[in-house]
């Protein structure tokens, strides 16, 4: 009988440690793909207290769920935006990217359990690949003179690796944005 009680205590402690592992995770720079026809669900271990986009008027509808929220683009060709989610004492930062055509009507980004979080981390585990993808997207946007969007991807790349290319490009973008602002005035 004692062995069963010890097993239950150890199992309970293990579950508490697993939950603390989930709660200790902050997601920073992960990409969420959306479009105007697909409902995208984002779920967490606990109810987010707040979520918002940068810029604040980004054309996305965000609707609360019991343990997360849904996102759908308000129109086709929505611009890239940052999404901040405050869950407990953590702030998660995502990049929302418009995908031309989604494969399904509902897509789920599920960070609600250790298993699902680890699966997502394993998908994102190849840092060099993530860095290269961010740089490729940023360079493309920079060449299209979409400086704000490019800056977000360069920032993501810089968070993955502290390298000079994204840092230099962010400096160039800041100069370009100041130049554009002066022309408008």
């Amino acid at each position: 009988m004692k062995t069963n009680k010890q097993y239950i205590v150890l199992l309970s402690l293990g579950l508490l440690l697993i939950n603390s592992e989930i709660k200790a995770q902050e997601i920073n720079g992960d990409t969420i793909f959306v479009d105007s026809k697909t409902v995208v669900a984002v779920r967490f271990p606990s109810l987010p207290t707040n979520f918002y986009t940068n810029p604040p008027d980004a054309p996305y509808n965000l609707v609360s769920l019991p343990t997360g929220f849904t996102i759908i683009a308000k129109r086709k060709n929505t611009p890239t935006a940052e999404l901040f989610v405050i869950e407990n004492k953590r702030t998660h930062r995502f990049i929302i990217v418009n995908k031309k055509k989604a494969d399904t009507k509902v897509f789920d980004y599920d960070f609600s359990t250790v298993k699902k979080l680890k699966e997502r981390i394993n998908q994102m585990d190849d840092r060099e690949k993530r860095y290269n993808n961010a740089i490729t997207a940023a360079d493309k946007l920079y060449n299209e003179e979409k400086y704000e969007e490019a800056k977000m991807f360069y920032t993501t790349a810089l968070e993955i690796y502290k390298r000079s290319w994204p840092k230099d490009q962010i400096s160039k973008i800041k100069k370009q944005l100041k130049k554009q602002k002066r022309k408008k005035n």
Side-chain angles (χ1 to χ4, degrees):
M1 196 65 153
K2 249 185 183 179
T3 310
N4 285 344
K5 286 182 181 178
Q6 289 173 337
Y7 177 74
I8 290 171
V9 168
L10 287 173
L11 183 62
S12 299
L13 286 172
L15 289 173
L16 285 173
L17 288 173
I18 288 171
N19 282 339
S20 67
E21 183 181 326
I22 294 173
K23 293 177 181 176
Q25 295 291 333
E26 284 189 4
I27 301 158
N28 193 7
D30 200 350
T31 305
I32 295 177
F33 294 98
V34 300
D35 72 12
S36 60
K37 295 180 182 172
T38 305
V39 175
V40 176
V42 182
R43 295 186 290 150
F44 296 92
S46 61
L47 179 65
T49 54
N50 194 9
F51 46 88
Y52 57 92
T53 60
N54 181 28
D57 60 347
Y60 297 96
N61 286 328
L62 302 167
V63 178
S64 291
L65 292 174
T67 59
F69 53 92
T70 62
I71 306 171
I72 191 164
K74 290 181 181 177
R75 62 178 189 268
K76 291 180 182 180
N77 301 323
T78 54
T80 300
E82 289 178 295
L83 171 67
F84 293 91
V85 179
I86 300 167
E87 179 226 357
N88 285 332
K89 295 180 180 179
R90 292 173 303 286
T91 300
H92 306 289
R93 179 183 160 268
F94 298 94
I95 297 175
I96 307 173
V97 176
N98 186 50
K99 186 176 178 182
K100 298 294 181 204
K101 187 177 180 184
D103 304 329
T104 61
K105 293 291 177 198
V106 177
F107 195 80
D108 194 8
Y109 289 88
D110 190 348
F111 304 102
S112 63
T113 65
V114 171
K115 181 182 175 187
K116 291 177 182 182
L117 183 59
K118 284 182 180 177
E119 286 171 3
R120 186 67 180 169
I121 290 169
N122 286 339
Q123 289 173 353
M124 301 300 290
D125 205 22
D126 186 0
R127 290 178 70 193
E128 193 66 35
K129 184 177 178 182
R130 287 188 300 137
Y131 174 84
N132 289 335
N133 288 342
I135 291 295
T136 300
D139 288 345
K140 182 178 184 283
L141 291 165
Y142 183 85
N143 291 334
E144 293 172 1
E145 297 181 4
K146 296 179 180 177
Y147 299 120
E148 289 288 348
E149 294 168 331
K151 183 179 169 189
M152 283 188 262
F153 280 100
Y154 284 126
T155 301
T156 297
L158 195 57
E159 289 168 354
I160 296 168
Y161 288 120
K162 304 290 184 221
R163 294 182 177 164
S164 61
W165 178 254
K167 187 178 178 182
D168 295 343
Q169 290 300 98
I170 290 169
S171 295
K172 287 181 186 177
I173 287 171
K174 287 179 181 178
K175 289 175 187 173
Q176 286 290 346
L177 292 173
K178 282 181 184 177
K179 196 176 187 181
Q180 285 179 347
K181 196 173 184 177
R182 274 187 256 131
K183 281 185 180 180
K184 283 183 181 179
N185 293 336

